[in-house]
Amino acid sequence: MLNQTHAPELTSWVTSANTTDTDFPIQNLPFAAFRRSGTNEAFRGGVAIGDQILDLAAAAKSGVYTDLAQQALEACSGEDLNPFMDMGKQAWSSLRLALSETLREGATAQTALQSCLVAQADAEYKLPCQIRDYTDFYTSVHHATAVGKLFRPDNPLLPNYKWVPIGYHGRASSIDVSGQNFRRPCGQTKAPDATEPSFGPCKRLDYEVEMGIYVGNGNELGEPISIENAEDHVFGMCLFNDWSARDIQAWEYQPLGPFLAKNFASTVSPWIVTTEALAPFRAAFERDAADPQPMEYLTSDANSANGQFDISLDCLIKTEGSAEENHLSTSNFKYSYWTVAQMVTHHTINGCNLQSGDLLGSGTQSGPEHEEAGSLLELTRGGKEAITLANGETRTFVQDGDTIIMRGFCQRDGARRIGFGEVASTVLPAKS
Amino acid sequence: MLNQTHAPELTSWVTSANTTDTDFPIQNLPFAAFRRSGTNEAFRGGVAIGDQILDLAAAAKSGVYTDLAQQALEACSGEDLNPFMDMGKQAWSSLRLALSETLREGATAQTALQSCLVAQADAEYKLPCQIRDYTDFYTSVHHATAVGKLFRPDNPLLPNYKWVPIGYHGRASSIDVSGQNFRRPCGQTKAPDATEPSFGPCKRLDYEVEMGIYVGNGNELGEPISIENAEDHVFGMCLFNDWSARDIQAWEYQPLGPFLAKNFASTVSPWIVTTEALAPFRAAFERDAADPQPMEYLTSDANSANGQFDISLDCLIKTEGSAEENHLSTSNFKYSYWTVAQMVTHHTINGCNLQSGDLLGSGTQSGPEHEEAGSLLELTRGGKEAITLANGETRTFVQDGDTIIMRGFCQRDGARRIGFGEVASTVLPAKS
């Protein structure tokens, strides 16, 4: 549902928000937890505007805001955004409108708010909220098919895929914000021709290009969230790199799924782009005529036509000692076989309770073409075909010192382009 | 390591702790979070002694304790025990010793502590701590073999089982304390002969008899916990019923593991029996000569001989409208193929960080004999052979109104018997 906060002609008195290439025009207004770099300041909520951050704790004390927007700002003043996220859609929307009105060109609040700005160049971030439970879905049919082909050439896609939004539980504790540098994991692996497993550093370390979906307000145990109401529980989205150790995964994952192959590190972008900001970027998804229709609990008139989001996803690699960013792939979240609403409803249909700050991973977002794959596993066809980077180096999997960078944005005629910023994370050598 | 707190001849001035059949003699001293039933009192930490609870918030104000024990009591005064659990082994041990000395027959503290007692009959419980991440292991080789036979008669145990302590991530939000009554989950299932799945209430609802293992103090990301230090990070154990929807599981679990089949409800007993209280009940585990030895990172001299715990586990069912408890099975945690220390070390060997309040499930603890199975799936051979209860009713899976009760205790010559109390939980009809 579009409203005046989406109007493409809106500009801000923060003039850096008015450039054509900014991720953070006044139509975006994403949330993060930040402080000034290198200080012991408390982290607090912030909203990106151009190359600045509006300090929400300072804004709460500015006297500019009233009523629900003021209450929302107070809930954003602590180090975690969970209290604000838990307030629900009306509060999110009220604060967005109030921020849009007061950051707009000509707003009388400019004088009072000028001192609430912190330059993004001077800021550092932490996780925007306490992540409670983390669930990873598997919504790209292209990824599922490509990976399935590597393991089961004759039967790449399992019979449940087009009926069940496949998901599994992940590890919340090892999720950190962009800038996470982590050691290459060690673990058990077994070479196909070996009789016994061996132990050592992962040899097939990979990234996964995903969207992260933050639950705002949850549901009570035993009370599923209907498909009609599902998106009302979604606060917003971020970029998400779900690091994966493919050789550890291959040996450990039967019969109960990935475990140590996934829980050593996962990295989110600092900014949460709200569901409301994404409203202009809906995309239709057409199922193949031969595909089953989603079951009734996953079907809604509102959702079926306009359930996806058109979010372009770029993945790049920077190798050690080089400043150059080398393109790996471009994909799009619109290819997701299941919508955000379907993920939420499916997750709760058995009565499972979601909570404020839960993170849902979309699963690797690979597009229909080989070069749109969201992991090296796919791009190198299981490590069999090395890819050559723009700087001349080759890769089958991620090497020590490599930094993987993901960026995302939404763009369409009649709307102002908005972006997600970036998530970047570097692999350090294994612990000796 | 045994010390004076384990001496079997110790008795308490709380005389109900001195009966032979109590779960809570002075040698036990387990922890919970409690308040007086039906009040709005704040929950706080408590220690069971006979049929009483020592209110730890009151004890902290009694003036009886000093130094580290007093600091530990203060950390037990809030509604969650995480701050105390995070203090580590020295604090746990100091408080245990101080409680043992002051609750002992003849202790001068009796007068001051008498008013800190609350009868267990007057108390209600909540989860003893905030459960951060929940991981479920699969450590009973008997369970893995029996369940494997149902799915793969020719190859019941997968090749990784005797090398890898198989585990997967579970859902923390839907874990609640004994007394949890939950609706039968709904979901997608597919009958073997059906061409398409259907939606409705679970028809194969099952319990799983498990031990729950609470992490006390955790580790930093990237810093594995060595096998020698692993048990120092374990605060204690509880009884754990990992409810499972077998028909939902069968349809959804490939390729990424159980999801909605497991995350609708899981139930812990209120009391955490500390690792220190369990010290007299070590049990050796002999691997078959043909089995591989654990890898070096999972091996320790201290651990290999004495790694298991001898905990007898009873499972019972109470059907709707009947007060009679019908025995389902008796098993023992000593059959676990992997030790608690091995679970902890394996979990962190890739750098994964554990945190105070993490819960590790042991997996269903089935014994070597068919009647020692810890689930109906096994007892009824996949639902094919109904069992007859003592009250004459039959069951293949759990019916609406059924209450599943688990109890556990440790007993051996030369030691005082200690118990875990119980975990009981009732299935309500599915939401219509």
Side-chain angles (χ1 to χ4, degrees):
Chain A
M1 285 212 280
L2 299 194
N3 58 38
Q4 58 147 305
T5 66
H6 300 105
E9 65 277 11
L10 280 185
T11 54
S12 172
W13 53 261
V14 182
T15 53
S16 59
N18 305 329
T19 61
T20 53
D21 61 344
T22 182
D23 274 357
F24 307 124
I26 193 167
Q27 290 81 359
N28 192 348
L29 302 175
F31 288 79
F34 83 102
R35 68 177 174 191
R36 284 182 179 79
S37 304
T39 69
N40 287 324
E41 288 178 358
F43 283 96
R44 65 273 191 189
V47 158
I49 179 79
D51 61 9
Q52 302 291 307
I53 302 169
L54 182 70
D55 178 338
L56 298 181
K61 293 181 187 148
S62 67
V64 167
Y65 301 94
T66 58
D67 303 327
L68 189 52
Q70 174 64 20
Q71 292 166 38
L73 280 174
E74 287 164 12
C76 291
S77 299
E79 66 173 12
D80 290 308
L81 291 172
N82 303 69
F84 170 56
M85 293 161 74
D86 202 33
M87 289 176 78
K89 192 182 171 181
Q90 205 191 336
W92 311 337
S93 205
S94 292
L95 181 54
R96 176 178 167 84
L97 179 59
L99 292 175
S100 176
E101 287 172 345
T102 51
L103 289 168
R104 213 167 280 180
E105 192 139 25
T108 54
Q110 177 174 354
T111 316
L113 293 182
Q114 197 87 50
S115 63
C116 301
L117 295 180
V118 174
Q120 285 165 31
D122 298 335
E124 62 186 16
Y125 304 92
K126 69 167 208 56
L127 287 176
C129 60
Q130 193 188 355
I131 295 176
R132 306 291 291 270
D133 277 296
Y134 156 50
T135 296
D136 201 22
F137 281 89
Y138 195 55
T139 66
S140 165
V141 67
H142 308 297
H143 171 72
T145 305
V147 171
K149 263 183 198 152
L150 297 174
F151 293 102
R152 299 172 302 273
D154 48 336
N155 183 27
L157 206 61
L158 292 168
N160 57 10
Y161 188 86
K162 292 187 171 178
W163 293 96
V164 181
I166 297 291
Y168 66 107
H169 299 113
R171 180 88 193 169
S173 72
S174 51
I175 302 175
D176 205 349
V177 75
S178 184
Q180 181 179 40
N181 300 338
F182 64 91
R183 291 182 196 276
R184 176 179 297 271
C186 290
Q188 288 191 36
T189 58
K190 193 172 99 49
D193 54 348
T195 55
E196 294 192 353
S198 58
F199 180 84
C202 164
K203 292 183 180 133
R204 291 161 69 93
L205 184 64
D206 203 358
Y207 60 82
E208 293 192 331
V209 177
E210 301 200 14
M211 295 301 302
I213 298 151
Y214 283 101
V215 174
N217 52 336
N219 59 306
E220 293 298 314
L221 194 68
E223 300 293 337
I225 297 174
S226 71
I227 187 76
E228 287 76 16
N229 296 329
E231 268 196 13
D232 292 350
H233 291 263
V234 176
F235 177 65
M237 293 191 225
C238 68
L239 305 168
F240 184 48
N241 182 351
D242 188 29
W243 289 97
S244 299
R246 303 298 182 188
D247 44 356
I248 295 174
Q249 186 173 349
W251 174 233
E252 76 168 3
Y253 92 107
Q254 289 286 14
L256 297 174
F259 180 44
L260 299 190
K262 295 278 195 174
N263 65 13
F264 54 90
S266 316
T267 321
V268 294
S269 57
W271 296 105
I272 308 176
V273 175
T274 63
T275 310
E276 190 170 349
L278 292 166
F281 305 101
R282 290 286 186 180
F285 177 79
E286 299 294 334
R287 287 180 179 241
D288 287 349
D291 284 358
Q293 285 303 301
M295 279 196 180
E296 191 180 343
Y297 75 95
L298 296 175
T299 304
S300 141
D301 286 344
N303 177 65
S304 54
N306 302 303
Q308 309 296 342
F309 294 96
D310 182 341
I311 303 173
S312 181
L313 297 167
D314 285 323
C315 185
L316 308 104
I317 186 170
K318 213 159 65 175
T319 64
E320 194 163 21
S322 159
E324 189 177 353
E325 291 180 356
N326 307 275
H327 180 260
L328 287 167
S329 70
T330 298
S331 182
N332 197 301
F333 187 43
K334 72 184 177 190
Y335 298 129
S336 174
Y337 195 82
W338 300 102
T339 67
V340 170
Q342 284 168 332
M343 290 183 233
V344 167
T345 292
H346 182 68
H347 203 317
T348 64
I349 194 64
N350 66 343
C352 180
N353 55 328
L354 302 182
Q355 298 180 99
S356 163
D358 284 347
L359 184 70
L360 313 182
S362 65
T364 309
Q365 291 302 305
S366 299
E369 303 302 326
H370 175 70
E371 63 270 19
E372 293 172 301
S375 70
L376 283 173
L377 182 72
E378 293 160 87
L379 288 175
T380 69
R381 301 186 197 277
K384 290 197 191 108
E385 299 175 9
I387 55 167
T388 302
L389 309 180
N391 69 2
E393 293 184 55
T394 60
R395 285 293 181 278
T396 47
F397 289 99
V398 179
Q399 295 189 3
D400 292 349
D402 285 351
T403 300
I404 300 293
I405 303 160
M406 297 171 188
R407 300 200 182 96
F409 64 89
C410 302
Q411 191 160 27
R412 87 160 27 159
D413 286 348
R416 186 70 158 81
R417 175 191 180 282
I418 65 172
F420 282 74
E422 71 173 33
V423 55
S425 178
T426 303
V427 181
L428 307 176
K431 195 174 167 78
S432 58
Chain B
M1 286 213 282
L2 299 194
N3 58 40
Q4 59 147 304
T5 65
H6 300 104
E9 65 277 11
L10 280 185
T11 53
S12 173
W13 52 261
V14 182
T15 53
S16 59
N18 305 329
T19 61
T20 52
D21 61 344
T22 181
D23 274 356
F24 308 124
I26 194 168
Q27 291 80 1
N28 193 348
L29 302 176
F31 288 78
F34 83 102
R35 67 178 175 191
R36 284 182 178 80
S37 305
T39 69
N40 287 324
E41 288 179 358
F43 284 97
R44 64 274 189 187
V47 159
I49 179 78
D51 62 8
Q52 302 292 306
I53 302 169
L54 182 70
D55 178 336
L56 299 181
K61 292 181 187 146
S62 68
V64 167
Y65 302 93
T66 57
D67 302 328
L68 189 53
Q70 174 64 21
Q71 291 165 39
L73 280 174
E74 286 164 13
C76 291
S77 299
E79 66 173 13
D80 290 308
L81 291 171
N82 303 67
F84 171 55
M85 295 161 73
D86 202 33
M87 288 177 79
K89 192 181 171 181
Q90 206 191 334
W92 311 335
S93 205
S94 292
L95 181 55
R96 176 177 166 85
L97 179 60
L99 292 175
S100 177
E101 287 173 345
T102 51
L103 290 169
R104 214 167 280 181
E105 192 137 26
T108 55
Q110 178 174 353
T111 315
L113 293 182
Q114 199 85 53
S115 62
C116 302
L117 295 180
V118 174
Q120 285 164 31
D122 297 336
E124 62 186 15
Y125 303 92
K126 69 167 208 57
L127 287 177
C129 60
Q130 193 189 353
I131 296 175
R132 305 290 291 269
D133 276 297
Y134 157 50
T135 296
D136 201 22
F137 282 89
Y138 195 55
T139 67
S140 166
V141 67
H142 309 296
H143 171 73
T145 305
V147 171
K149 262 183 197 151
L150 297 174
F151 293 103
R152 300 172 301 273
D154 48 336
N155 182 27
L157 206 62
L158 293 169
N160 56 10
Y161 188 88
K162 292 187 172 179
W163 293 97
V164 181
I166 297 291
Y168 65 106
H169 300 113
R171 180 88 193 168
S173 72
S174 51
I175 302 175
D176 206 349
V177 76
S178 184
Q180 180 179 41
N181 299 339
F182 64 91
R183 292 181 196 275
R184 175 178 297 271
C186 290
Q188 289 191 34
T189 58
K190 191 173 101 47
D193 54 347
T195 54
E196 294 192 353
S198 58
F199 181 85
C202 165
K203 291 181 180 136
R204 290 162 69 93
L205 184 64
D206 203 358
Y207 61 82
E208 293 193 331
V209 178
E210 302 200 14
M211 295 301 302
I213 298 151
Y214 283 101
V215 173
N217 51 337
N219 60 305
E220 293 297 315
L221 193 69
E223 300 292 337
I225 298 174
S226 71
I227 187 76
E228 288 76 17
N229 296 328
E231 268 195 14
D232 292 350
H233 291 263
V234 176
F235 177 65
M237 292 190 226
C238 67
L239 305 168
F240 185 48
N241 183 352
D242 187 29
W243 289 98
S244 298
R246 303 298 183 189
D247 45 355
I248 295 173
Q249 186 173 350
W251 173 233
E252 76 168 3
Y253 92 107
Q254 289 284 17
L256 298 173
F259 180 44
L260 298 191
K262 295 275 194 176
N263 65 13
F264 54 92
S266 316
T267 320
V268 294
S269 57
W271 296 105
I272 308 177
V273 175
T274 63
T275 311
E276 190 170 349
L278 292 166
F281 305 101
R282 288 288 184 179
F285 178 80
E286 300 295 334
R287 286 177 181 244
D288 287 348
D291 284 357
Q293 286 303 301
M295 279 196 180
E296 193 180 339
Y297 75 95
L298 296 175
T299 304
S300 140
D301 286 345
N303 175 65
S304 53
N306 302 303
Q308 308 298 341
F309 294 97
D310 182 341
I311 303 172
S312 182
L313 297 167
D314 284 324
C315 186
L316 307 104
I317 186 170
K318 213 160 64 176
T319 62
E320 193 162 23
S322 160
E324 189 177 354
E325 292 181 356
N326 308 276
H327 180 259
L328 288 167
S329 70
T330 298
S331 182
N332 196 301
F333 187 43
K334 72 183 177 190
Y335 299 128
S336 174
Y337 195 84
W338 301 103
T339 67
V340 171
Q342 285 168 332
M343 289 183 234
V344 167
T345 293
H346 181 69
H347 204 316
T348 64
I349 194 63
N350 66 345
C352 180
N353 56 328
L354 302 182
Q355 298 180 100
S356 164
D358 284 347
L359 184 70
L360 313 182
S362 65
T364 309
Q365 291 301 304
S366 299
E369 303 302 325
H370 175 70
E371 62 272 20
E372 294 172 300
S375 69
L376 283 173
L377 183 71
E378 292 160 86
L379 289 175
T380 68
R381 302 187 197 275
K384 291 198 191 107
E385 298 175 11
I387 56 168
T388 303
L389 310 180
N391 70 2
E393 293 184 54
T394 60
R395 285 292 181 279
T396 46
F397 289 98
V398 180
Q399 294 189 3
D400 292 349
D402 285 351
T403 300
I404 300 294
I405 303 162
M406 298 171 188
R407 300 201 182 94
F409 64 89
C410 302
Q411 191 161 27
R412 87 160 24 160
D413 285 348
R416 186 70 157 81
R417 176 192 180 282
I418 64 172
F420 282 76
E422 71 174 33
V423 55
S425 178
T426 303
V427 180
L428 308 176
K431 194 174 167 77
S432 58

